[in-house]
Amino acid sequence: MDNCIFCKIANGEIPSATLYEDEDFRVILDVNPAAKGHALILPKAHAANIFELPDDKLQKAALLAKKVAAKLKDGLNCDGVNVLQNNGSAAGQTVYHFHMHLIPRREGDNLGLLWKPGKLTDEDRLDILEHCSL
Ligand code: AMP
Ligand code: ZN
């Protein structure tokens, strides 16, 4: 992908603050962090989103997220970590190269990353169970 900034960062063509690198991934600091230590896991091979990412890479990304989250929690002595991943503009994706966000959290930091809980209606439950059961 010639014009993908995360391809260039992941493959070292653009310098980044790198916490970890292996043959498949680079973990960098987000330039506009939601909190101190906000990191991004980037696969080196381009995939726009979770649907395009090969299963073996997704498995590795999940295990890497666990390791990086633990290191951030220890290293920054924070209280928790959000692991987030957006697919599509409606879901908040702005860079169309798969990435996982790791966001260190502190009690009472009020980052506002979470949703306002709604109510599961009977109609929605039936509709979802009919159309989305695997
Ligand atoms: P998303 O909205 O899930 O697509 O997240 C994109 C993230 O990439 C945002 O948190 C941005 O701050 C971050 N970002 C964009 N460009 C760069 C860059 N050049 N280096 C590091 N992080 C970036
Ligand atoms: Zn890319």
Side-chain angles (χ1 to χ4, degrees):
M1 288 291 288
D2 289 348
N3 266 330
C4 175
I5 187 163
F6 279 3
C7 276
K8 291 179 180 156
I9 291 173
N11 291 286
E13 290 167 50
I14 294 176
S16 60
T18 294
L19 291 173
Y20 173 84
E21 182 183 5
D22 64 22
E23 60 181 348
D24 295 319
F25 293 95
R26 184 184 294 270
V27 181
I28 66 166
L29 295 184
D30 195 302
V31 279
N32 296 123
K36 180 178 175 180
H38 184 166
L40 301 171
I41 295 178
L42 312 179
K44 290 188 174 180
H46 184 83
N49 50 44
I50 196 169
F51 308 112
E52 286 189 7
L53 191 69
D55 288 356
D56 62 322
K57 297 284 167 49
L58 184 58
Q59 286 173 331
K60 285 184 180 176
L63 294 175
L64 186 52
K66 183 178 177 181
K67 280 188 193 163
V68 177
K71 187 72 185 179
L72 289 170
K73 199 161 174 295
D74 274 5
L76 296 175
N77 197 27
C78 57
D79 303 313
V81 180
N82 285 114
V83 179
L84 303 174
Q85 197 273 311
N86 301 326
N87 298 286
S89 59
Q93 187 175 13
T94 59
V95 179
Y96 297 95
H97 175 124
F98 175 94
H99 51 280
M100 293 173 84
H101 296 262
L102 296 140
I103 305 177
R105 301 298 304 273
R106 293 184 185 281
E107 296 295 345
D109 64 15
N110 290 320
L111 282 190
L113 297 177
L114 298 180
W115 55 90
K116 188 165 143 266
K119 181 81 189 147
L120 180 62
T121 63
D122 290 344
E123 186 187 358
D124 282 354
R125 179 170 39 74
L126 292 172
D127 184 41
I128 297 160
L129 292 178
E130 181 183 347
H131 293 104
C132 305
S133 293
L134 301 172

